[in-house]
Amino acid sequence: MPLPAPPPAQQQGQRQRHPFLVRSIAGVLLALILITGLAVLIIWLSVQPRKLRYSIEEGSISGYNLTNDRLNSNFHFVLRAENPNKRISLYYDRIDVTVSYEDQKLSVNNVHPFYQRRRNITHLDLDLVAKDAVLYGAVARDLKMERGSGSVDLDVKIRAKIRLKVGVFKIHRKLKVECGPITVPFSPSKGFERVFCDADID
């Protein structure tokens, strides 16, 4: 035998309790998000973050051969990465490096992930190989002319996915580093002049 339907007043009470429960849960979640965000902001301001600094310390070219507008060459750079912060360390999870000439990419490579401690300077070897890289337009002609002068102006761009570690918090960010123009001599006897890079974190 079917049970009798609850009185109208009881049905109305059940309907009223559900929206109240949903609003309560939403309010608690919103409060937790606000508290967490405020805590991260307070910690971030308290550590007084300083800008990361990068520069190219060395640069060299070997195995250079430009024939029929196709380039084969080995490029080697030493990147100086400085973290001047007292309370922030970094995880470099992915690092992509590009070397280009007159806005044309010559080679792309990546660097092994690494962890950088607070107040630390790390030197990274950037090795890139151009293999049968096709040069378009006037790029091949200009590169031949610069080769005759004994050096060439190149640009190095770095794109990295990093995590900033502040206390127990880890903040995901994207790093952009642009270095150039970098005057790289074809002969090591000419020496190399350090080039400072522009860095931005998104």
Side-chain angles (χ1 to χ4, degrees):
M1 180 177 180
L3 296 175
Q10 183 177 351
Q11 291 180 346
Q12 184 177 3
Q14 290 175 348
R15 286 196 297 268
Q16 289 177 348
R17 281 197 297 270
H18 288 299
F20 175 77
L21 180 61
V22 172
R23 286 197 298 268
S24 299
I25 294 174
V28 171
L29 291 176
L30 180 60
L32 289 174
I33 292 173
L34 291 175
I35 292 172
T36 302
L38 183 60
V40 172
L41 178 61
I42 292 173
I43 293 174
W44 183 254
L45 293 176
S46 67
V47 300
Q48 298 178 344
R50 299 175 63 186
K51 191 171 183 179
L52 305 175
R53 295 192 282 262
Y54 301 89
S55 61
I56 299 294
E57 302 287 290
E58 298 177 22
S60 61
I61 300 173
S62 62
Y64 178 89
N65 181 31
L66 177 56
T67 305
N68 297 327
D69 295 345
R70 291 180 178 271
L71 175 66
N72 290 277
S73 184
N74 300 314
F75 303 97
H76 174 73
F77 301 95
V78 175
L79 176 71
R80 181 182 187 270
E82 180 182 358
N83 175 19
N85 292 283
K86 295 187 294 184
R87 297 183 178 88
I88 301 176
S89 56
L90 297 99
Y91 293 89
Y92 288 81
D93 294 321
R94 180 181 175 86
I95 310 169
D96 296 319
V97 184
T98 302
V99 60
S100 59
Y101 174 77
E102 293 186 354
D103 295 327
Q104 181 173 332
K105 291 182 181 180
L106 302 179
S107 180
V108 179
N109 201 356
N110 53 60
V111 179
H112 290 297
F114 71 98
Y115 171 73
Q116 187 173 33
R117 300 182 182 278
R118 295 168 289 182
R119 283 189 166 180
N120 173 266
I121 295 175
T122 300
H123 290 86
L124 300 173
D125 288 313
L126 310 179
D127 292 300
L128 301 103
V129 178
K131 187 174 182 180
D132 285 331
V134 180
L135 305 183
Y136 298 97
V139 174
R141 181 198 62 197
D142 294 345
L143 188 54
K144 288 178 182 178
M145 293 176 64
E146 290 200 40
R147 173 68 177 91
S149 70
S151 63
V152 61
D153 288 342
L154 301 173
D155 294 295
V156 170
K157 295 182 180 180
I158 299 169
R159 300 292 182 266
K161 292 182 179 180
I162 63 174
R163 285 175 291 158
L164 306 175
K165 184 180 179 183
V166 185
V168 297
F169 296 99
K170 293 177 183 176
I171 305 169
H172 292 258
R173 288 291 183 267
K174 292 181 180 179
L175 172 69
K176 297 180 181 179
V177 181
E178 298 193 359
C179 314
I182 305 169
T183 302
V184 184
F186 284 92
S187 173
S189 61
K190 282 196 170 185
F192 181 84
E193 185 174 346
R194 180 183 182 186
V195 176
F196 292 93
C197 308
D198 294 323
D200 290 304
I201 295 179
D202 295 332

